[in-house]
Short mmCIF file of all heavy atoms in Angstrom, two decimals:
data_model
loop_
_atom_site.label_atom_id
_atom_site.label_comp_id
_atom_site.label_asym_id
_atom_site.label_seq_id
_atom_site.Cartn_x
_atom_site.Cartn_y
_atom_site.Cartn_z
N MET A 1 132.75 114.43 53.87
CA MET A 1 134.14 114.21 53.64
C MET A 1 134.94 114.78 54.80
O MET A 1 134.72 115.91 55.22
CB MET A 1 134.56 114.87 52.32
CG MET A 1 136.04 114.90 52.10
SD MET A 1 136.45 115.77 50.57
CE MET A 1 137.16 114.42 49.69
N ALA A 2 135.85 114.01 55.33
CA ALA A 2 136.69 114.44 56.44
C ALA A 2 137.78 115.38 55.93
O ALA A 2 138.00 115.50 54.72
CB ALA A 2 137.31 113.22 57.12
N GLY A 3 138.46 116.03 56.86
CA GLY A 3 139.49 116.99 56.52
C GLY A 3 140.76 116.35 56.00
O GLY A 3 140.88 115.13 55.91
N THR A 4 141.72 117.19 55.68
CA THR A 4 142.99 116.78 55.10
C THR A 4 144.07 116.72 56.17
O THR A 4 144.21 117.68 56.95
CB THR A 4 143.42 117.79 54.01
OG1 THR A 4 142.36 117.88 53.06
CG2 THR A 4 144.69 117.36 53.33
N ALA A 5 144.83 115.65 56.18
CA ALA A 5 145.94 115.53 57.12
C ALA A 5 146.87 116.72 56.97
O ALA A 5 147.18 117.14 55.86
CB ALA A 5 146.69 114.23 56.87
N GLY A 6 147.29 117.28 58.09
CA GLY A 6 148.21 118.41 58.08
C GLY A 6 147.55 119.77 57.91
O GLY A 6 148.22 120.79 57.93
N SER A 7 146.24 119.79 57.76
CA SER A 7 145.54 121.07 57.60
C SER A 7 145.56 121.85 58.91
O SER A 7 145.67 121.29 59.99
CB SER A 7 144.11 120.84 57.14
OG SER A 7 143.41 120.08 58.09
N SER A 8 145.41 123.15 58.79
CA SER A 8 145.42 124.02 59.96
C SER A 8 144.03 124.10 60.60
O SER A 8 143.03 123.72 59.98
CB SER A 8 145.85 125.43 59.56
OG SER A 8 144.86 126.02 58.72
N LEU A 9 143.98 124.61 61.80
CA LEU A 9 142.70 124.82 62.48
C LEU A 9 141.81 125.75 61.65
O LEU A 9 140.63 125.48 61.46
CB LEU A 9 142.92 125.41 63.87
CG LEU A 9 141.67 125.71 64.68
CD1 LEU A 9 140.92 124.43 65.03
CD2 LEU A 9 142.02 126.47 65.95
N THR A 10 142.40 126.80 61.12
CA THR A 10 141.63 127.74 60.30
C THR A 10 141.06 127.05 59.07
O THR A 10 139.89 127.25 58.71
CB THR A 10 142.50 128.95 59.90
OG1 THR A 10 142.98 129.58 61.09
CG2 THR A 10 141.72 129.95 59.07
N ALA A 11 141.87 126.23 58.42
CA ALA A 11 141.40 125.50 57.23
C ALA A 11 140.25 124.57 57.57
O ALA A 11 139.27 124.46 56.82
CB ALA A 11 142.55 124.73 56.59
N GLU A 12 140.34 123.89 58.70
CA GLU A 12 139.27 122.97 59.10
C GLU A 12 138.00 123.72 59.46
O GLU A 12 136.90 123.28 59.13
CB GLU A 12 139.72 122.06 60.25
CG GLU A 12 140.70 121.00 59.81
CD GLU A 12 140.17 120.15 58.68
OE1 GLU A 12 139.00 119.74 58.70
OE2 GLU A 12 140.94 119.89 57.74
N LEU A 13 138.12 124.84 60.13
CA LEU A 13 136.93 125.63 60.45
C LEU A 13 136.26 126.13 59.18
O LEU A 13 135.04 126.10 59.06
CB LEU A 13 137.29 126.79 61.38
CG LEU A 13 137.64 126.39 62.81
CD1 LEU A 13 138.25 127.56 63.56
CD2 LEU A 13 136.42 125.86 63.55
N ASN A 14 137.05 126.56 58.21
CA ASN A 14 136.50 126.98 56.92
C ASN A 14 135.83 125.81 56.21
O ASN A 14 134.75 125.97 55.63
CB ASN A 14 137.58 127.60 56.04
CG ASN A 14 137.76 129.08 56.29
OD1 ASN A 14 136.94 129.88 55.88
ND2 ASN A 14 138.82 129.43 56.98
N ARG A 15 136.43 124.63 56.25
CA ARG A 15 135.84 123.45 55.60
C ARG A 15 134.48 123.15 56.22
O ARG A 15 133.49 122.93 55.51
CB ARG A 15 136.77 122.23 55.75
CG ARG A 15 136.22 120.95 55.13
CD ARG A 15 137.15 119.78 55.39
NE ARG A 15 137.21 119.40 56.79
CZ ARG A 15 136.36 118.60 57.40
NH1 ARG A 15 135.34 118.07 56.74
NH2 ARG A 15 136.50 118.30 58.67
N LEU A 16 134.41 123.16 57.54
CA LEU A 16 133.16 122.85 58.22
C LEU A 16 132.10 123.92 57.99
O LEU A 16 130.92 123.62 57.90
CB LEU A 16 133.42 122.67 59.72
CG LEU A 16 134.27 121.44 60.07
CD1 LEU A 16 134.72 121.51 61.53
CD2 LEU A 16 133.52 120.16 59.79
N ALA A 17 132.55 125.16 57.86
CA ALA A 17 131.63 126.27 57.65
C ALA A 17 131.20 126.39 56.19
O ALA A 17 130.26 127.11 55.88
CB ALA A 17 132.28 127.58 58.09
N GLY A 18 131.90 125.69 55.30
CA GLY A 18 131.60 125.80 53.88
C GLY A 18 132.07 127.12 53.30
O GLY A 18 131.49 127.63 52.35
N THR A 19 133.14 127.66 53.89
CA THR A 19 133.69 128.93 53.44
C THR A 19 135.14 128.74 53.05
O THR A 19 135.73 127.69 53.29
CB THR A 19 133.59 129.99 54.57
OG1 THR A 19 134.33 129.51 55.71
CG2 THR A 19 132.17 130.26 54.97
N THR A 20 135.72 129.76 52.48
CA THR A 20 137.16 129.77 52.19
C THR A 20 137.71 131.13 52.53
O THR A 20 137.04 132.15 52.35
CB THR A 20 137.46 129.48 50.70
OG1 THR A 20 136.77 130.44 49.90
CG2 THR A 20 137.03 128.08 50.30
N GLY A 21 138.90 131.15 53.06
CA GLY A 21 139.59 132.40 53.30
C GLY A 21 139.18 133.20 54.52
O GLY A 21 139.70 134.28 54.75
N LYS A 22 138.26 132.69 55.32
CA LYS A 22 137.88 133.42 56.53
C LYS A 22 138.91 133.15 57.62
O LYS A 22 139.50 132.07 57.69
CB LYS A 22 136.51 132.99 57.04
CG LYS A 22 135.36 133.53 56.23
CD LYS A 22 134.04 133.35 56.97
CE LYS A 22 132.93 134.03 56.17
NZ LYS A 22 131.73 134.19 56.98
N ALA A 23 139.11 134.12 58.49
CA ALA A 23 139.92 133.91 59.68
C ALA A 23 139.20 132.90 60.57
O ALA A 23 137.98 132.68 60.42
CB ALA A 23 140.13 135.22 60.41
N ASP A 24 139.94 132.30 61.51
CA ASP A 24 139.33 131.25 62.32
C ASP A 24 138.08 131.71 63.06
O ASP A 24 137.09 130.99 63.12
CB ASP A 24 140.34 130.61 63.28
CG ASP A 24 141.04 131.60 64.20
OD1 ASP A 24 140.82 132.81 64.08
OD2 ASP A 24 141.82 131.13 65.05
N GLN A 25 138.07 132.93 63.57
CA GLN A 25 136.89 133.42 64.29
C GLN A 25 135.68 133.53 63.37
O GLN A 25 134.58 133.12 63.73
CB GLN A 25 137.19 134.77 64.94
CG GLN A 25 136.03 135.29 65.77
CD GLN A 25 136.38 136.58 66.49
OE1 GLN A 25 137.51 137.04 66.48
NE2 GLN A 25 135.39 137.17 67.13
N GLY A 26 135.86 134.07 62.20
CA GLY A 26 134.75 134.20 61.25
C GLY A 26 134.22 132.86 60.81
O GLY A 26 133.01 132.65 60.72
N ALA A 27 135.13 131.92 60.54
CA ALA A 27 134.71 130.59 60.12
C ALA A 27 133.99 129.86 61.24
O ALA A 27 132.98 129.19 61.01
CB ALA A 27 135.92 129.78 59.65
N ALA A 28 134.47 130.01 62.47
CA ALA A 28 133.81 129.37 63.61
C ALA A 28 132.40 129.91 63.79
O ALA A 28 131.46 129.15 64.05
CB ALA A 28 134.63 129.57 64.89
N ASN A 29 132.24 131.21 63.66
CA ASN A 29 130.91 131.80 63.79
C ASN A 29 129.98 131.36 62.67
O ASN A 29 128.80 131.08 62.91
CB ASN A 29 131.00 133.33 63.84
CG ASN A 29 131.27 133.84 65.24
OD1 ASN A 29 130.39 133.87 66.08
ND2 ASN A 29 132.51 134.21 65.50
N THR A 30 130.48 131.25 61.45
CA THR A 30 129.66 130.75 60.35
C THR A 30 129.26 129.32 60.61
O THR A 30 128.08 128.95 60.45
CB THR A 30 130.41 130.87 59.01
OG1 THR A 30 130.70 132.25 58.78
CG2 THR A 30 129.59 130.32 57.86
N TYR A 31 130.20 128.48 61.02
CA TYR A 31 129.93 127.07 61.31
C TYR A 31 128.88 126.92 62.41
O TYR A 31 127.99 126.07 62.34
CB TYR A 31 131.24 126.38 61.71
CG TYR A 31 131.13 124.95 62.15
CD1 TYR A 31 130.48 123.99 61.38
CD2 TYR A 31 131.71 124.53 63.35
CE1 TYR A 31 130.40 122.67 61.79
CE2 TYR A 31 131.65 123.21 63.76
CZ TYR A 31 130.99 122.29 62.98
OH TYR A 31 130.92 120.98 63.40
N ALA A 32 128.98 127.78 63.42
CA ALA A 32 128.08 127.68 64.57
C ALA A 32 126.79 128.47 64.40
O ALA A 32 125.93 128.44 65.28
CB ALA A 32 128.80 128.17 65.82
N SER A 33 126.65 129.18 63.29
CA SER A 33 125.50 130.06 63.07
C SER A 33 125.37 131.08 64.19
O SER A 33 124.28 131.35 64.70
CB SER A 33 124.21 129.24 62.93
OG SER A 33 124.30 128.40 61.81
N THR A 34 126.51 131.64 64.59
CA THR A 34 126.56 132.68 65.60
C THR A 34 127.21 133.91 64.98
O THR A 34 127.62 133.88 63.81
CB THR A 34 127.36 132.22 66.83
OG1 THR A 34 128.68 131.83 66.41
CG2 THR A 34 126.69 131.05 67.54
N SER A 35 127.34 134.96 65.75
CA SER A 35 127.94 136.18 65.24
C SER A 35 128.70 136.87 66.36
O SER A 35 128.18 137.01 67.47
CB SER A 35 126.85 137.11 64.71
OG SER A 35 127.39 138.32 64.27
N GLY A 36 129.92 137.29 66.06
CA GLY A 36 130.68 138.11 66.99
C GLY A 36 131.31 137.38 68.17
O GLY A 36 131.87 138.03 69.05
N LEU A 37 131.23 136.08 68.19
CA LEU A 37 131.82 135.33 69.29
C LEU A 37 133.25 134.93 68.96
O LEU A 37 133.62 134.82 67.79
CB LEU A 37 131.01 134.06 69.58
CG LEU A 37 129.56 134.25 69.98
CD1 LEU A 37 128.87 132.90 70.17
CD2 LEU A 37 129.46 135.09 71.25
N GLY A 38 134.04 134.68 69.99
CA GLY A 38 135.37 134.12 69.78
C GLY A 38 135.24 132.67 69.33
O GLY A 38 134.16 132.07 69.40
N VAL A 39 136.33 132.10 68.88
CA VAL A 39 136.32 130.73 68.37
C VAL A 39 135.76 129.76 69.40
O VAL A 39 134.85 128.97 69.12
CB VAL A 39 137.74 130.28 67.94
CG1 VAL A 39 137.77 128.80 67.59
CG2 VAL A 39 138.23 131.11 66.77
N ASN A 40 136.29 129.81 70.61
CA ASN A 40 135.87 128.87 71.65
C ASN A 40 134.39 129.04 71.99
O ASN A 40 133.65 128.06 72.10
CB ASN A 40 136.73 129.05 72.90
CG ASN A 40 136.65 127.87 73.83
OD1 ASN A 40 136.89 126.75 73.42
ND2 ASN A 40 136.31 128.13 75.07
N ALA A 41 133.95 130.26 72.12
CA ALA A 41 132.54 130.52 72.45
C ALA A 41 131.63 130.03 71.33
O ALA A 41 130.61 129.38 71.58
CB ALA A 41 132.32 132.01 72.69
N ALA A 42 131.99 130.31 70.08
CA ALA A 42 131.17 129.87 68.96
C ALA A 42 131.05 128.35 68.92
O ALA A 42 129.95 127.81 68.73
CB ALA A 42 131.75 130.39 67.65
N LEU A 43 132.15 127.66 69.12
CA LEU A 43 132.12 126.20 69.08
C LEU A 43 131.33 125.62 70.24
O LEU A 43 130.62 124.62 70.09
CB LEU A 43 133.54 125.63 69.03
CG LEU A 43 134.33 125.98 67.77
CD1 LEU A 43 135.75 125.43 67.86
CD2 LEU A 43 133.64 125.51 66.50
N ASN A 44 131.43 126.25 71.41
CA ASN A 44 130.62 125.80 72.54
C ASN A 44 129.14 126.00 72.26
O ASN A 44 128.32 125.14 72.60
CB ASN A 44 131.05 126.53 73.82
CG ASN A 44 132.14 125.80 74.56
OD1 ASN A 44 131.89 124.86 75.29
ND2 ASN A 44 133.38 126.21 74.32
N LYS A 45 128.78 127.10 71.63
CA LYS A 45 127.37 127.34 71.28
C LYS A 45 126.91 126.37 70.20
O LYS A 45 125.75 125.97 70.18
CB LYS A 45 127.17 128.78 70.82
CG LYS A 45 127.26 129.79 71.94
CD LYS A 45 126.13 129.59 72.94
CE LYS A 45 126.08 130.69 73.97
NZ LYS A 45 124.99 130.49 74.94
N LYS A 46 127.82 125.98 69.29
CA LYS A 46 127.47 124.98 68.28
C LYS A 46 127.10 123.66 68.96
O LYS A 46 126.15 123.00 68.57
CB LYS A 46 128.66 124.79 67.32
CG LYS A 46 128.52 123.65 66.34
CD LYS A 46 127.56 123.98 65.24
CE LYS A 46 127.55 122.89 64.17
NZ LYS A 46 126.53 123.14 63.16
N ALA A 47 127.86 123.30 69.97
CA ALA A 47 127.61 122.04 70.69
C ALA A 47 126.35 122.11 71.52
O ALA A 47 125.61 121.13 71.62
CB ALA A 47 128.80 121.68 71.56
N ASP A 48 126.09 123.25 72.13
CA ASP A 48 124.93 123.40 73.02
C ASP A 48 124.55 124.88 73.07
O ASP A 48 125.23 125.67 73.73
CB ASP A 48 125.27 122.89 74.41
CG ASP A 48 124.12 122.98 75.40
OD1 ASP A 48 123.07 123.58 75.07
OD2 ASP A 48 124.28 122.46 76.52
N ALA A 49 123.51 125.24 72.38
CA ALA A 49 123.09 126.64 72.28
C ALA A 49 122.78 127.25 73.64
O ALA A 49 122.84 128.47 73.80
CB ALA A 49 121.88 126.77 71.37
N ASN A 50 122.47 126.43 74.63
CA ASN A 50 122.13 126.94 75.96
C ASN A 50 123.30 126.93 76.93
O ASN A 50 123.14 127.33 78.08
CB ASN A 50 120.98 126.12 76.55
CG ASN A 50 119.72 126.28 75.73
OD1 ASN A 50 119.34 127.39 75.37
ND2 ASN A 50 119.07 125.17 75.40
N ARG A 51 124.47 126.50 76.48
CA ARG A 51 125.63 126.44 77.37
C ARG A 51 126.05 127.85 77.75
O ARG A 51 126.20 128.72 76.91
CB ARG A 51 126.78 125.71 76.66
CG ARG A 51 127.99 125.47 77.57
CD ARG A 51 129.01 124.58 76.92
NE ARG A 51 128.47 123.23 76.82
CZ ARG A 51 128.97 122.29 76.02
NH1 ARG A 51 130.00 122.54 75.24
NH2 ARG A 51 128.42 121.09 75.98
N GLN A 52 126.25 128.05 79.03
CA GLN A 52 126.65 129.35 79.56
C GLN A 52 128.17 129.48 79.57
O GLN A 52 128.88 128.47 79.70
CB GLN A 52 126.10 129.53 80.97
CG GLN A 52 124.58 129.53 81.04
CD GLN A 52 123.98 130.63 80.18
OE1 GLN A 52 124.35 131.80 80.32
NE2 GLN A 52 123.08 130.28 79.28
N PRO A 53 128.69 130.70 79.45
CA PRO A 53 130.14 130.90 79.42
C PRO A 53 130.89 130.25 80.57
O PRO A 53 132.01 129.79 80.38
CB PRO A 53 130.28 132.42 79.45
CG PRO A 53 129.04 132.92 78.78
CD PRO A 53 127.96 131.95 79.23
N THR A 54 130.29 130.18 81.73
CA THR A 54 130.96 129.56 82.87
C THR A 54 131.14 128.05 82.68
O THR A 54 131.94 127.43 83.37
CB THR A 54 130.19 129.81 84.18
OG1 THR A 54 128.85 129.33 84.02
CG2 THR A 54 130.19 131.29 84.53
N ALA A 55 130.38 127.48 81.74
CA ALA A 55 130.46 126.04 81.49
C ALA A 55 131.19 125.72 80.18
O ALA A 55 131.24 124.56 79.79
CB ALA A 55 129.05 125.46 81.45
N TYR A 56 131.74 126.74 79.51
CA TYR A 56 132.43 126.50 78.25
C TYR A 56 133.60 125.53 78.45
O TYR A 56 134.33 125.62 79.44
CB TYR A 56 132.99 127.79 77.66
CG TYR A 56 131.97 128.67 76.99
CD1 TYR A 56 132.35 129.90 76.48
CD2 TYR A 56 130.64 128.32 76.86
CE1 TYR A 56 131.45 130.75 75.86
CE2 TYR A 56 129.73 129.15 76.24
CZ TYR A 56 130.13 130.36 75.74
OH TYR A 56 129.24 131.20 75.13
N LYS A 57 133.76 124.66 77.51
CA LYS A 57 134.89 123.73 77.49
C LYS A 57 136.04 124.39 76.76
O LYS A 57 135.83 125.28 75.93
CB LYS A 57 134.49 122.44 76.77
CG LYS A 57 133.41 121.68 77.50
CD LYS A 57 133.05 120.41 76.77
CE LYS A 57 131.98 119.65 77.57
NZ LYS A 57 131.64 118.37 76.94
N GLY A 58 137.25 123.94 77.04
CA GLY A 58 138.43 124.44 76.34
C GLY A 58 138.40 124.00 74.88
O GLY A 58 137.58 123.16 74.47
N LEU A 59 139.29 124.55 74.08
CA LEU A 59 139.28 124.31 72.64
C LEU A 59 139.39 122.83 72.29
O LEU A 59 138.60 122.31 71.49
CB LEU A 59 140.39 125.11 71.95
CG LEU A 59 140.38 125.05 70.43
CD1 LEU A 59 139.07 125.59 69.85
CD2 LEU A 59 141.57 125.81 69.87
N ASN A 60 140.36 122.12 72.86
CA ASN A 60 140.49 120.69 72.55
C ASN A 60 139.24 119.92 72.96
O ASN A 60 138.74 119.09 72.20
CB ASN A 60 141.72 120.09 73.24
CG ASN A 60 143.01 120.51 72.60
OD1 ASN A 60 143.05 121.02 71.48
ND2 ASN A 60 144.10 120.31 73.31
N ALA A 61 138.74 120.21 74.13
CA ALA A 61 137.56 119.48 74.63
C ALA A 61 136.32 119.74 73.78
O ALA A 61 135.57 118.81 73.47
CB ALA A 61 137.30 119.85 76.09
N ILE A 62 136.10 120.98 73.39
CA ILE A 62 134.89 121.27 72.61
C ILE A 62 135.01 120.68 71.21
O ILE A 62 134.03 120.18 70.65
CB ILE A 62 134.56 122.78 72.59
CG1 ILE A 62 133.16 123.00 72.02
CG2 ILE A 62 135.57 123.58 71.83
CD1 ILE A 62 132.05 122.25 72.70
N CYS A 63 136.19 120.71 70.63
CA CYS A 63 136.36 120.10 69.30
C CYS A 63 136.15 118.59 69.36
O CYS A 63 135.53 118.01 68.46
CB CYS A 63 137.73 120.45 68.73
SG CYS A 63 137.86 122.20 68.26
N ASN A 64 136.62 117.95 70.42
CA ASN A 64 136.37 116.52 70.60
C ASN A 64 134.90 116.24 70.81
O ASN A 64 134.37 115.26 70.29
CB ASN A 64 137.21 115.97 71.76
CG ASN A 64 138.61 115.61 71.33
OD1 ASN A 64 138.83 114.59 70.71
ND2 ASN A 64 139.57 116.46 71.66
N GLU A 65 134.21 117.10 71.54
CA GLU A 65 132.76 116.91 71.73
C GLU A 65 132.04 117.00 70.39
O GLU A 65 131.20 116.15 70.06
CB GLU A 65 132.20 117.96 72.68
CG GLU A 65 130.71 117.81 72.89
CD GLU A 65 130.11 118.85 73.82
OE1 GLU A 65 130.86 119.53 74.55
OE2 GLU A 65 128.87 118.98 73.83
N LEU A 66 132.35 118.01 69.60
CA LEU A 66 131.70 118.17 68.30
C LEU A 66 131.97 117.00 67.37
O LEU A 66 131.13 116.61 66.57
CB LEU A 66 132.15 119.48 67.64
CG LEU A 66 131.66 120.75 68.30
CD1 LEU A 66 132.41 121.96 67.77
CD2 LEU A 66 130.16 120.91 68.10
N ALA A 67 133.17 116.43 67.48
CA ALA A 67 133.57 115.33 66.61
C ALA A 67 133.20 113.95 67.17
O ALA A 67 133.43 112.94 66.52
CB ALA A 67 135.07 115.38 66.36
N SER A 68 132.67 113.93 68.38
CA SER A 68 132.39 112.65 69.08
C SER A 68 133.65 111.80 69.18
O SER A 68 133.63 110.59 68.96
CB SER A 68 131.27 111.88 68.36
OG SER A 68 130.08 112.63 68.37
N THR A 69 134.74 112.47 69.53
CA THR A 69 136.02 111.80 69.74
C THR A 69 136.52 112.16 71.13
O THR A 69 135.89 112.94 71.84
CB THR A 69 137.06 112.25 68.69
OG1 THR A 69 137.22 113.68 68.77
CG2 THR A 69 136.65 111.87 67.28
N SER A 70 137.64 111.62 71.51
CA SER A 70 138.25 112.02 72.77
C SER A 70 139.77 111.93 72.65
O SER A 70 140.30 111.12 71.90
CB SER A 70 137.78 111.14 73.93
OG SER A 70 138.16 109.80 73.73
N GLY A 71 140.44 112.81 73.37
CA GLY A 71 141.89 112.78 73.44
C GLY A 71 142.62 113.33 72.23
O GLY A 71 143.85 113.27 72.19
N LYS A 72 141.91 113.86 71.25
CA LYS A 72 142.58 114.40 70.07
C LYS A 72 142.84 115.89 70.25
O LYS A 72 142.16 116.55 71.04
CB LYS A 72 141.72 114.19 68.82
CG LYS A 72 141.55 112.74 68.43
CD LYS A 72 140.81 112.63 67.12
CE LYS A 72 140.74 111.17 66.69
NZ LYS A 72 140.30 111.02 65.31
N SER A 73 143.80 116.40 69.50
CA SER A 73 143.99 117.85 69.48
C SER A 73 142.78 118.47 68.80
O SER A 73 142.01 117.78 68.11
CB SER A 73 145.26 118.21 68.71
OG SER A 73 145.09 117.94 67.32
N ALA A 74 142.61 119.75 68.96
CA ALA A 74 141.46 120.44 68.37
C ALA A 74 141.39 120.21 66.87
O ALA A 74 140.35 119.81 66.33
CB ALA A 74 141.53 121.93 68.68
N VAL A 75 142.49 120.43 66.17
CA VAL A 75 142.47 120.31 64.71
C VAL A 75 142.27 118.86 64.27
O VAL A 75 141.55 118.59 63.31
CB VAL A 75 143.71 120.96 64.06
CG1 VAL A 75 144.98 120.18 64.36
CG2 VAL A 75 143.52 121.13 62.57
N ALA A 76 142.87 117.91 64.99
CA ALA A 76 142.68 116.50 64.63
C ALA A 76 141.23 116.08 64.82
O ALA A 76 140.67 115.35 64.00
CB ALA A 76 143.61 115.61 65.46
N ALA A 77 140.60 116.57 65.87
CA ALA A 77 139.18 116.26 66.10
C ALA A 77 138.33 116.84 64.99
O ALA A 77 137.47 116.15 64.42
CB ALA A 77 138.74 116.80 67.45
N LEU A 78 138.57 118.10 64.62
CA LEU A 78 137.78 118.72 63.56
C LEU A 78 138.00 118.02 62.23
O LEU A 78 137.06 117.87 61.44
CB LEU A 78 138.12 120.21 63.44
CG LEU A 78 137.72 121.09 64.63
CD1 LEU A 78 138.13 122.54 64.37
CD2 LEU A 78 136.25 120.98 64.96
N ARG A 79 139.22 117.56 61.98
CA ARG A 79 139.50 116.84 60.74
C ARG A 79 138.64 115.59 60.60
O ARG A 79 138.36 115.14 59.50
CB ARG A 79 140.97 116.43 60.68
CG ARG A 79 141.90 117.48 60.24
CD ARG A 79 143.32 116.92 60.10
NE ARG A 79 144.26 118.01 60.17
CZ ARG A 79 145.30 118.07 61.01
NH1 ARG A 79 145.56 117.06 61.83
NH2 ARG A 79 146.09 119.11 61.00
N SER A 80 138.26 115.01 61.71
CA SER A 80 137.50 113.74 61.67
C SER A 80 136.01 113.94 61.39
O SER A 80 135.28 112.96 61.20
CB SER A 80 137.69 112.98 62.98
OG SER A 80 137.00 113.61 64.05
N ILE A 81 135.55 115.18 61.37
CA ILE A 81 134.13 115.45 61.13
C ILE A 81 133.85 115.42 59.62
O ILE A 81 134.48 116.15 58.86
CB ILE A 81 133.71 116.81 61.71
CG1 ILE A 81 133.93 116.84 63.22
CG2 ILE A 81 132.26 117.13 61.36
CD1 ILE A 81 133.69 118.19 63.86
N ASP A 82 132.91 114.59 59.23
CA ASP A 82 132.48 114.54 57.83
C ASP A 82 131.46 115.64 57.57
O ASP A 82 130.59 115.89 58.41
CB ASP A 82 131.85 113.19 57.50
CG ASP A 82 132.85 112.07 57.37
OD1 ASP A 82 134.00 112.35 56.97
OD2 ASP A 82 132.52 110.92 57.66
N VAL A 83 131.54 116.24 56.41
CA VAL A 83 130.53 117.23 56.02
C VAL A 83 129.90 116.82 54.71
O VAL A 83 130.42 116.07 53.95
CB VAL A 83 131.10 118.66 55.90
CG1 VAL A 83 131.46 119.20 57.26
CG2 VAL A 83 132.27 118.73 54.97
#
């Protein structure tokens, strides 16, 4: 099921992680099966576990990569991911 129109980035990260009430960083780490990383780092690791920090994509770009979309804002891209 895709996300809800108008939902926040935090809400979408929680939806994808299967959690509720976590801050965006915690939800991103749960979604990515990582620990202690920032949102951007966790999402980059979700996309490619071997990606090095020097190759990390920005938030919009990594969310579009995860969603197999392009040109969307981070939250709009995450909303398009079915779980």
Side-chain angles (χ1 to χ4, degrees):
M1 170 183 244
T4 305
S7 61
S8 68
L9 178 66
T10 302
E12 287 305 316
L13 288 168
N14 273 286
R15 179 184 67 85
L16 293 168
T19 59
T20 57
K22 285 193 175 195
D24 56 356
Q25 183 176 353
N29 275 284
T30 299
Y31 175 53
S33 298
T34 56
S35 177
L37 299 178
V39 172
N40 197 54
L43 296 177
N44 270 279
K45 288 296 188 180
K46 172 74 174 174
D48 181 353
N50 296 314
R51 186 172 290 163
Q52 297 301 307
T54 56
Y56 283 176
K57 295 180 178 183
L59 186 60
N60 287 344
I62 192 55
C63 290
N64 276 284
E65 179 181 345
L66 290 167
S68 298
T69 58
S70 63
K72 293 186 176 192
S73 69
V75 70
L78 293 180
R79 279 185 201 127
S80 72
I81 299 173
D82 285 330
V83 290

